[in-house]
Amino acid sequence: MAANKSQFDSQMNDPHNRRRFLSGAGLGLGSIALSSMLADERRANAAGLHLPDGRPHFAPKAKNVIWLFMRGGVSHMESFDPKPMLNKFAGKSIDETPYANVSDPELLKRVRVVVVNDANGQQRKQLYPLQVGYKAYGQSGIEVSDWFPHIGSCIDDIAVVRSMWTTDDNHGAQVQFHSGRHMLDPRVPTIGAWINYGLGTLNQNLPQFISMGPRFFDRRDGHYLGPAYDAVELKVDPSNPLDYASPQRAVTPTEQQMGFDLVSQLNRLSDSRYPRDAAMEARTKSYELAFRMQTAVPDVIRFDQETQATKNLYGLDQPETRAFGEQLLAARRFSEQGVRFIQIMHGGGAAGAWDQHSNLKAKHSQLSMQVDRPIAGLLKDLKQRGMLDETLVVFATEFGRTPGSQGSDGRDHHPYGFSVWMAGGGIKGGVAHGATDEIGFHATENPHYVTDIHATIMHQLGLDSHRMEVAGHKRLEQDFGHVIHDILA
């Protein structure tokens, strides 16, 4: 017996054997749970690269981000950028209007085509009238589409940026909006990964960066930063919120804790012999996080502690809004618990449900109904809890839709000008910043490439985007973006 124990002790003093034991000890989650703690390991082991120490570069205005991304391409003209000239010149070719110059080849050079002669991503010449009305809201009087009345009621807390542009005319623009790079470029880290990389955790029991909803084209975030900075994908399902979260075999919490305690004893024994084994320490902490997440994550997405009034605010009482509303309520609860970056994707399918090449009026109306009330509920709930000041909410999409019609009742992809908005976290409310031309074609006033949104988010979190770089991976100037100071409070 003593010989067996001696042999076991000898084996467990080998870090490789300990790691195998850890991975089979029923602690769950496997590699997906390494994110937060392996980030610490990467910082410790690569000090020569001048990696962040987890602290902001300067005093932050926000602590965390809720990132809402509408996949497929929301029509800017039928959401947050009204263009009455589309009604006046409806049915006419752009060349027959005073705005023929928007087709100047020099103005169209920014786009990089992934698939030549693709049926989509083309310029559409015949102007298509607005498919919805507009109303002015709040003290600011900013006009918002009738498809978004609940968000309109929050407009005095929102800064709309009406002058976004990008260079991908197809749905790889989803990747571009998150990373700043075109699909023809190598994959690089996303905005969520950079924030995960740059800032320390606010809650040792939860990951720093989570994602909910459908993802396509690229489901990774960390790329050359490493998988430690990928988002942890979650579902609003308390019984199974995390893939691979449960142990592979049936074990009780008591048995898990016993195994955990044994490994801790073995690690302490090893630590006395190898006191500077940083890699083992980081991996041990990662499995401790995995163990804690098994309890912490399901607790966050249980809504039995919420009042019925709060649930109704998010639309949980209606079938059209329930699914997205549950994700946003979960986002508020994760934000409350200190998760840094909460990413929520809306719109299933490879291209994204907002991709209305036809039947725009019916489909945009249906999709906006799914998100409008829950998003307004999120803003109002954050505000009444005193959380909006430190929680930055972003509403984005990969590009807009063409002023011209595709077929009889749709709009094509449009990268030259579109809208996003931001609220909370030190953002000035009741602001409409930038502009497109009279028919919504080009961003003409204060144009912003997509990484300007990234730079603004980082700035509000206390990070200088130009200091977010690692050796061996030179970033382009456009990768860093420029802070949109005009929308900061």
Side-chain angles (χ1 to χ4, degrees), residues 3-321:
N4 289 340
K5 181 179 184 303
S6 176
Q7 183 181 15
F8 180 72
D9 289 344
S10 176
Q11 291 176 344
M12 293 309 292
N13 282 332
D14 182 337
H16 298 289
N17 289 332
R18 281 205 313 275
R19 290 164 195 167
R20 284 195 295 271
F21 181 86
L22 276 166
S23 64
L27 301 182
L29 285 185
S31 62
I32 200 171
L34 298 180
S35 59
S36 182
M37 294 306 176
L38 282 185
D40 294 337
E41 176 190 11
R42 187 174 292 271
R43 291 191 186 100
N45 290 344
L49 298 180
H50 307 291
L51 295 184
D53 58 8
R55 293 178 294 183
H57 302 143
F58 46 86
K61 296 295 179 68
K63 289 184 178 179
N64 37 35
V65 178
I66 298 176
W67 173 276
L68 311 175
F69 195 79
M70 309 295 112
R71 298 181 58 254
V74 177
S75 172
H76 52 298
M77 299 157 294
E78 274 113 355
S79 56
F80 303 104
D81 189 12
K83 295 298 173 184
M85 290 298 103
L86 293 181
N87 294 337
K88 180 176 180 179
F89 293 102
K92 292 185 178 295
S93 169
I94 290 176
D95 295 336
E96 298 175 314
T97 73
Y99 314 111
N101 65 318
V102 301
S103 299
D104 184 339
E106 286 298 313
L107 297 176
L108 304 177
K109 282 185 175 180
R110 282 176 172 169
V111 168
R112 297 171 63 191
V113 177
V114 177
V115 180
V116 178
N117 295 325
D118 193 338
N120 299 317
Q122 304 293 319
Q123 293 309 312
R124 307 293 173 172
K125 291 288 190 178
Q126 186 174 350
L127 292 181
Y128 190 45
L130 294 177
Q131 300 300 294
V132 66
Y134 270 82
K135 177 182 174 182
Y137 287 89
Q139 293 183 348
S140 59
I142 295 173
E143 289 184 296
V144 177
S145 151
D146 291 343
W147 284 336
F148 297 94
H150 295 282
I151 293 176
S153 71
C154 302
I155 199 65
D156 286 339
D157 293 314
I158 290 172
V160 181
V161 182
R162 290 174 167 168
S163 51
M164 299 302 303
W165 64 273
T166 189
T167 66
D168 197 326
D169 68 349
N170 218 319
H171 295 290
Q174 294 174 24
V175 176
Q176 188 169 22
F177 202 104
H178 288 81
S179 69
R181 288 295 187 94
H182 194 279
M183 277 289 285
L184 295 176
D185 295 334
R187 299 284 79 78
V188 298
T190 66
I191 176 61
W194 280 118
I195 289 169
N196 188 3
Y197 166 86
L199 292 174
T201 184
L202 295 171
N203 188 329
Q204 295 289 340
N205 295 331
L206 293 169
Q208 285 226 110
F209 177 20
I210 66 175
S211 182
M212 293 182 276
R215 292 183 70 172
F216 292 83
F217 300 104
D218 187 4
R219 300 187 65 173
R220 303 293 298 275
D221 295 282
H223 293 291
Y224 62 70
L225 293 177
Y229 300 98
D230 287 345
V232 174
E233 294 192 24
L234 300 181
K235 301 184 293 290
V236 183
D237 179 0
S239 64
N240 185 31
L242 282 159
D243 290 332
Y244 315 112
S246 301
Q248 294 181 357
R249 57 186 180 275
V251 292
T252 67
T254 301
E255 289 171 332
Q256 281 188 289
Q257 187 63 57
M258 289 174 62
F260 207 79
D261 291 343
L262 173 60
V263 172
S264 295
Q265 292 177 35
L266 295 171
N267 285 336
R268 285 195 297 271
L269 177 64
S270 180
D271 188 55
S272 65
R273 300 181 183 181
Y274 307 99
R276 282 183 285 275
D277 188 353
M280 187 62 215
E281 180 182 358
R283 285 181 171 82
T284 299
K285 288 181 178 179
S286 75
Y287 280 98
E288 291 173 354
L289 172 62
F291 184 68
R292 294 192 299 269
M293 282 172 61
Q294 291 181 18
T295 300
V297 170
D299 282 348
V300 174
I301 58 176
R302 288 192 180 99
F303 302 148
D304 52 351
Q305 297 175 348
E306 301 291 341
T307 66
Q308 191 60 48
T310 297
K311 295 176 186 178
N312 293 349
L313 189 64
Y314 286 84
L316 271 59
D317 58 334
Q318 297 294 326
E320 298 86 359
T321 51

Side-chain angles (χ1 to χ4, degrees), residues 137-142 154-160 379 383 388-389 392 421-433 460 486-489:
Y137 287 89
Q139 293 183 348
S140 59
I142 295 173
C154 302
I155 199 65
D156 286 339
D157 293 314
I158 290 172
V160 181
L379 295 177
K383 189 171 184 178
L388 189 59
D389 289 343
L392 182 54
W421 58 257
M422 305 171 74
I427 296 295
K428 189 186 302 181
V431 172
H433 172 79
Q460 296 307 93
D486 288 349
I487 67 171
L488 303 185

Side-chain angles (χ1 to χ4, degrees), residues 374-393:
I375 292 173
L378 171 67
L379 295 177
K380 292 173 182 177
D381 195 21
L382 289 171
K383 189 171 184 178
Q384 69 188 13
R385 292 171 185 273
M387 295 175 60
L388 189 59
D389 289 343
E390 59 185 27
T391 304
L392 182 54
V393 180

